[in-house]
Amino acid sequence: MRHLIIGNGPAGVVAAETLRRADAQAEITLIGDEAEPPYSRMAIPYLLSGKIGEPGTYLRKDADHFERLRIQLLHGRVAGLDAGQQTVTLSDGSTLAWDKLLIATGAHPLRPPIPGIDLPQVLSCWTLADARRIAAAVAPGARVLQMGAGFIGCIILESLAARGPQLTVVEMGERMVPRMMDEVAGAMIRRWCAGKGVLVKTGRRVVSIEPAGEALRVTLDDGECVEVDALINATGVKPNVDFLAGSGVAVDIGILVDDSMQTSVAGIYAAGDVAEAVEFGTGRRVVNAIQPDAVEQARIAALNMAGQSAALPGTFVFNVLDTMGLISASFGQWQEFPGCSSAQLLDEAEYRYLRLVFDGEQLVGANSIGHSENIGVLRGLIQGRVRLGEWKARLLANPLLLSEAYLAKGLAATQ
């Protein structure tokens, strides 16, 4: 059996290792388009902040790890896929054949259509090569503007701030991390950033970027002009699916998959930031670009590729964010909806906020800042679909009784 995996990030690596455990004799090829050992993009902020060196980003630290597992690593970019012939074509014209295929190609940074976006001082923070360019451009005292304050943007923000620049962040949404946090939480994170010396402008967007000697002149939509030494583009990412044009693999935003992670074409699977799977609890299809979900999807896909039956119960949307020491988290259906009920606690002075969202007797979503001790309990109650019974009324009255509710209902339900 020939297994081919396109993409050597966390999803691709976990899939390859799972396949080897399931089939000692299979041919396993893992192909990546960067001239680097397989690494984690989520480790790049730690690299930029000086907490680790480049080897610290590598997914597997032993140089002979893949060789020992007889997993072949190839460097190349896939340009096209022929499902009928079961081959992929690389950008150099060569082809690779497969019996089972996993697409784990991840995503790439969006480049908004702004005049000047291609100037050399405009940088992304997505690859190790990007990190090297940022390290060279962002020194203590440098004037830096970052576009975007979503989940990825806030991770990048922290690593940039650690380098000591004069940092301004522009977010077109009305609050920070608008896809993760409600208005109260987004405003709290913004106030925290301001206290750490980071200027955040929400409800604003960059409309043009022009050279200003060796610097850049950045114009915002309200007419304000800012001169900076570097501009970091953190406006979001998009799944890498362009090479699938004409392949027959169904694509919406990402690649559509079933609960086995199989695509619309038998024998072809997808996992990670490129996959659009059914969301836990709602039945909606979502691209859930977080590493824990990516590796679980990869494990499920690999087991099915090896002939074992495995199913994903639903991609679970949750995010935990450390913004310069302020821990925030969102879980499930944190946005309120018709028929739901909710409870919240707010302590502005101590930067503590907790909001719970219920559907009937079940906790289905939450926003949390400064309550990191409850992260595991929140996930357990929501993902376990725990029926709270009388504990719902207690949590509505006092959301801090989460651990007690979990002990009474969550653990009891598993015994």
Side-chain angles (χ1 to χ4, degrees):
M1 182 67 71
R2 297 168 298 177
H3 294 295
L4 178 61
I5 301 169
I6 310 174
N8 65 356
V13 166
V14 167
E17 293 168 344
T18 303
L19 282 167
R20 177 54 72 220
R21 286 193 294 271
D23 187 342
Q25 303 304 319
E27 295 181 17
I28 303 171
T29 301
L30 183 61
I31 184 168
D33 63 0
E34 295 181 53
E36 317 279 0
Y39 69 92
S40 170
R41 301 196 193 285
M42 295 306 295
I44 288 176
Y46 298 98
L47 172 64
L48 285 172
S49 62
K51 295 177 181 177
I52 59 173
E54 284 197 14
T57 69
Y58 299 164
L59 289 166
R60 302 294 178 260
K61 303 303 188 281
D62 294 339
D64 64 345
H65 175 80
F66 296 99
E67 183 179 355
R68 283 190 290 104
L69 292 178
R70 290 177 290 111
I71 296 170
Q72 183 182 13
L73 295 181
L74 289 182
H75 176 218
R77 176 177 288 273
V78 174
L81 185 156
D82 188 324
Q85 295 296 316
Q86 293 188 191
T87 59
V88 296
T89 301
L90 306 186
S91 56
D92 64 4
S94 62
T95 61
L96 296 171
W98 45 270
D99 296 311
K100 295 289 177 68
L101 175 69
L102 174 65
I103 302 169
T105 46
H108 62 274
L110 291 170
R111 294 188 72 79
I114 299 170
I117 193 70
D118 294 321
L119 288 168
Q121 300 98 319
V122 178
L123 309 172
S124 294
C125 184
W126 195 242
T127 66
L128 281 178
D130 291 336
R132 295 176 192 124
R133 286 189 284 268
I134 290 174
V138 180
R143 301 165 300 171
V144 178
L145 185 143
Q146 176 179 304
M147 289 193 302
F151 178 69
I152 293 174
C154 283
I155 294 172
I156 296 169
L157 178 159
E158 180 175 27
S159 63
L160 291 176
R163 302 185 67 83
Q166 301 174 45
L167 180 58
T168 300
V169 178
V170 175
E171 163 58 44
M172 65 184 298
E174 292 302 318
R175 61 185 184 275
M176 297 184 72
V177 278
R179 296 184 180 181
M180 172 179 164
M181 289 291 176
D182 65 13
E183 292 82 357
V184 174
M188 185 177 286
I189 296 171
R190 178 182 177 181
R191 186 163 59 87
W192 176 270
C193 290
K196 298 291 184 178
V198 177
L199 177 61
V200 181
K201 298 175 181 288
T202 55
R204 294 285 179 269
R205 60 187 179 89
V206 173
V207 295
S208 71
I209 309 165
E210 301 172 298
E214 295 185 358
L216 296 173
R217 182 177 298 107
V218 180
T219 303
L220 306 185
D221 57 352
D222 60 356
E224 180 184 1
C225 290
V226 182
E227 191 166 297
V228 298
D229 301 303
L231 187 151
I232 310 299
N233 174 29
T235 53
V237 297
K238 180 181 179 182
N240 290 320
V241 296
D242 290 350
F243 73 99
L244 294 172
S247 69
V249 174
V251 174
D252 185 13
I253 296 173
I255 300 171
L256 302 180
V257 293
D258 62 17
D259 63 359
S260 72
M261 304 311 296
Q262 187 166 233
T263 71
S264 60
V265 177
I268 301 179
Y269 297 77
D273 295 5
V274 76
E276 188 170 344
V278 173
E279 181 184 18
F280 174 88
T282 69
R284 298 176 301 196
R285 288 189 172 274
V286 296
V287 176
N288 189 22
I290 60 172
Q291 188 165 310
D293 210 44
V295 298
E296 178 60 10
Q297 290 180 6
R299 187 185 70 83
I300 296 294
L303 289 174
N304 284 288
M305 292 167 71
Q308 301 180 22
S309 179
L312 190 76
T315 186
F316 184 59
V317 178
F318 77 100
N319 291 287
V320 179
L321 180 65
D322 182 347
T323 308
M324 294 186 286
L326 184 66
I327 307 299
S328 58
S330 67
F331 303 82
Q333 301 172 63
W334 60 268
Q335 294 171 306
E336 297 185 17
F337 53 89
C340 75
S341 51
S342 64
Q344 75 172 44
L345 285 176
L346 175 63
D347 185 340
E348 290 275 11
E350 296 297 324
Y351 290 93
R352 292 173 68 83
Y353 177 58
L354 181 62
R355 184 171 60 86
L356 308 179
V357 180
F358 301 87
D359 186 4
E361 291 185 17
Q362 295 180 349
L363 179 67
V364 296
N367 273 166
S368 168
I369 294 180
H371 289 277
S372 56
E373 71 278 3
N374 290 318
I375 286 175
V377 170
L378 284 166
R379 182 173 183 180
L381 287 171
I382 296 169
Q383 207 166 9
R385 301 178 189 267
V386 176
R387 291 195 172 276
L388 293 163
E390 72 279 8
W391 278 92
K392 177 187 174 182
R394 297 179 188 179
L395 288 171
L396 286 170
N398 182 3
L400 291 180
L401 294 176
L402 284 164
S403 294
E404 290 83 351
Y406 184 70
L407 288 170
K409 289 292 184 177
L411 288 181
T414 65
Q415 294 175 347

